[in-house]
Amino acid sequence: MNNAVRTRLPHGGSGSRSARRVRRHGAALLLVAAGALLGWVLPRWERNLPLAGLRFDASTAQATLAAIAGSMITLAGFVVTAITLVVQTVQAMSPRLVAALGHFSRYLVLFGLLVGTALYALVALSHIRGPDVPRLSVTIAVGLVLIDAVAVLQLLASLRHAVTGGGLARAIGARLRTVIDQLYPAAAQPAAPEDTGPSHRRETVPLVYRGRPATLFSVDERALTRLAARHDVHVHFLYAVGDFIRSDTTVARLRVRGPVTDRHRRLARRVAKCVRYGPSRSVDQDAAYGVRLLADISVRALSPAVNDPTTAAQALDQIEDVLLRLSDRPLGPAWLLDGAGRPRISYPAPQWSDLVSLALDETLLYGSANPLVVRRLHALLHRLHIATAEDRKASVAERQQALERLAATALPDPLLNRVATRPGRDDPGAGRAAGEIAGR
């Protein structure tokens, strides 16, 4: 199974994450501009409408709008401070988590809402002259305060989970479940022999990266597959998404029929535009990076400075879920299929043994002295050994043996060693695994 070349359909596009970020930034700017515009237009338009809204005299309306504007500006500052503190806390757990999760950018929309409300109140305040009070405008300002209050409460509720190791692990696990279904579909089939065999009859055009050293961030799979199908070419990537790329490195090869011409070189430039580079990795097309992040949370929790084995166990919960999902799916190198079902794009990808090593080896090393973590690892490896196919059991069995050796060395006391092999009530997932481990 590990050596099979699998196929799948392309999904998404390289700009999906960037598009979400642009939409959120645009929404924040739109809310700010809409607040200022509404505060300018509504009081003027209200002069031609029947009286409606809360009853205010001029002085009370001015005081109300001024208070709303000042409080919203103060609240926007509080939101910025809260997000800054959360970012610092998350970076302390792993400096890569903030960029990988990417959910902090949505708080810009809340910031835009607060600033837009403040601008609305300030601009509407400028229209109160004499006894004429734009009652509807003031009433809407009060309504916006209620909306802002609900939004801020939702922010605080979400931040409560974002600053815990378990909450971060669950967020990464949720992202990984979607990515796994996209990158490793259960229905993947081996590619057709005529498309994956030797291609000595084709000439190649190298796709060379000329920029500064960077990470292969993402590939616009749909656009690239359509381009390859339209021109009847194959693209063979030499590096996987997430790999570090130096300048003047051949990232992929474009295989064409017949001699290489200027048309093929122009096509290679168009193909190169479907590949994106960045300063860091992303989980969106790189499931191994998500596994790396979960391992980071586990290892950081086991460091002497933190000493939080419960958080490590929570990270192992997500690691177990990821590995069980991958245990019966085709892994390794893959081909992307075009609309006619023909393989067009090949790319490398990690094998089962690579993912198991990435997920567990460091926690095995640093957690072997903690009974709770050892118990959790025993349960994880036992379930994984049962779920995996025969040709994948060796990687799991090696870690089971390594765990027993490491735990015996780190926990020489017979009592602690015996306790470490038996799950207890305080273990996450112990209820599921007690019977399994007892029968070993």
Side-chain angles (χ1 to χ4, degrees):
M1 184 185 296
N2 287 348
N3 296 324
V5 179
R6 58 193 174 90
T7 63
R8 67 175 177 87
L9 296 174
H11 72 88
S14 65
S16 58
R17 185 181 175 188
S18 299
R20 290 195 300 268
R21 185 168 57 249
V22 170
R23 285 196 299 268
R24 288 167 182 166
H25 291 189
L29 291 175
L30 182 62
L31 287 171
V32 172
L37 181 62
L38 186 63
W40 179 264
V41 172
L42 185 58
R44 295 173 177 268
W45 183 44
E46 190 178 347
R47 296 171 185 172
N48 303 319
L49 295 176
L51 292 177
L54 301 174
R55 294 180 179 274
F56 288 96
D57 57 33
S59 60
T60 304
Q62 289 174 335
T64 300
L65 291 175
I68 289 174
S71 61
M72 290 301 105
I73 293 174
T74 302
L75 197 55
F78 165 77
V79 170
V80 172
T81 302
I83 293 174
T84 302
L85 291 175
V86 170
V87 169
Q88 292 175 346
T89 303
V90 173
Q91 284 181 330
M93 296 181 185
S94 174
R96 290 165 291 278
L97 282 171
V98 175
L101 289 172
H103 65 273
F104 289 104
S105 63
R106 72 170 180 263
Y107 299 138
L108 288 176
V109 178
L110 173 59
F111 183 79
L113 178 62
L114 295 174
V115 174
T117 301
L119 282 178
Y120 170 80
L122 287 173
V123 176
L125 179 61
S126 67
H127 289 273
I128 300 179
R129 302 184 184 91
D132 294 333
V133 177
R135 292 166 52 183
L136 180 60
S137 300
V138 180
T139 302
I140 289 178
V142 174
L144 289 174
V145 171
L146 296 176
I147 295 174
D148 293 348
V150 172
V152 170
L153 289 175
Q154 289 181 338
L155 166 68
L156 294 177
S158 64
L159 293 184
R160 179 171 57 89
H161 298 286
V163 296
T164 64
L168 293 170
R170 287 190 293 273
I172 293 295
R175 286 277 299 280
L176 268 177
R177 283 189 282 275
T178 300
V179 172
I180 288 171
D181 289 339
Q182 294 172 341
L183 299 183
Y184 304 102
Q189 299 294 329
E194 64 269 21
D195 291 307
T196 59
S199 52
H200 57 272
R201 292 172 296 178
R202 288 179 176 264
E203 299 293 333
T204 63
V205 182
L207 275 66
V208 182
Y209 173 67
R210 302 292 186 186
R212 296 178 179 179
T215 298
L216 204 167
F217 184 78
S218 63
V219 176
D220 191 339
E221 295 181 352
R222 288 179 177 172
L224 185 56
T225 306
R226 287 195 298 266
L227 194 61
R230 187 181 308 124
H231 296 275
D232 191 23
V233 299
H234 289 161
V235 181
H236 295 258
F237 279 91
L238 307 179
Y239 292 86
V241 172
D243 285 349
F244 179 75
I245 308 296
R246 299 186 304 274
S247 181
D248 298 324
T249 297
T250 300
V251 176
R253 296 187 182 277
L254 182 68
R255 290 184 172 172
V256 302
R257 296 185 184 277
V260 177
T261 64
D262 289 339
R263 181 179 67 87
H264 294 137
R265 296 187 181 92
R266 290 193 297 270
L267 176 61
R269 288 193 289 271
R270 294 178 62 188
V271 168
K273 292 180 179 179
C274 297
V275 184
R276 302 289 183 266
Y277 303 90
S280 61
R281 298 168 69 178
S282 168
V283 181
D284 292 340
Q285 294 183 0
D286 186 3
Y289 186 51
V291 176
R292 170 74 266 173
L293 293 173
L294 290 174
D296 279 352
I297 296 172
S298 176
V299 172
R300 184 66 63 94
L302 293 172
S303 67
V306 179
N307 195 22
D308 184 9
T310 300
T311 294
Q314 291 174 328
L316 287 172
D317 287 342
Q318 301 301 321
I319 289 174
E320 178 184 328
D321 178 73
V322 168
L323 292 178
L324 287 175
R325 287 174 181 273
L326 292 170
S327 63
D328 59 349
R329 302 195 185 200
L331 303 174
W335 283 83
L336 298 180
L337 304 178
D338 62 17
R342 295 179 59 83
R344 289 295 177 182
I345 315 297
S346 73
Y347 64 92
Q351 301 279 8
W352 170 250
S353 59
D354 303 321
L355 293 169
V356 172
S357 175
L358 180 63
L360 298 176
D361 285 358
E362 290 174 319
T363 302
L364 284 171
L365 177 62
Y366 297 115
S368 58
N370 188 283
L372 187 151
V373 176
V374 173
R375 291 196 297 266
R376 187 66 189 86
L377 283 168
H378 273 304
L380 184 157
L381 290 168
H382 184 70
R383 278 193 288 269
L384 202 58
H385 192 271
I386 293 174
T388 53
E390 287 298 326
D391 60 342
R392 293 183 176 179
K393 289 185 183 296
S395 297
V396 181
E398 288 175 347
R399 270 114 195 127
Q400 289 178 313
Q401 297 165 7
L403 177 61
E404 292 176 356
R405 293 193 301 268
L406 290 168
T409 302
L411 298 170
D413 184 85
L415 172 63
L416 292 179
N417 196 279
R418 185 172 67 252
V419 169
T421 60
R422 296 179 180 175
R425 290 181 178 273
D426 60 336
D427 291 347
R432 297 169 293 162
E436 298 172 357
I437 305 301
R440 292 185 64 208

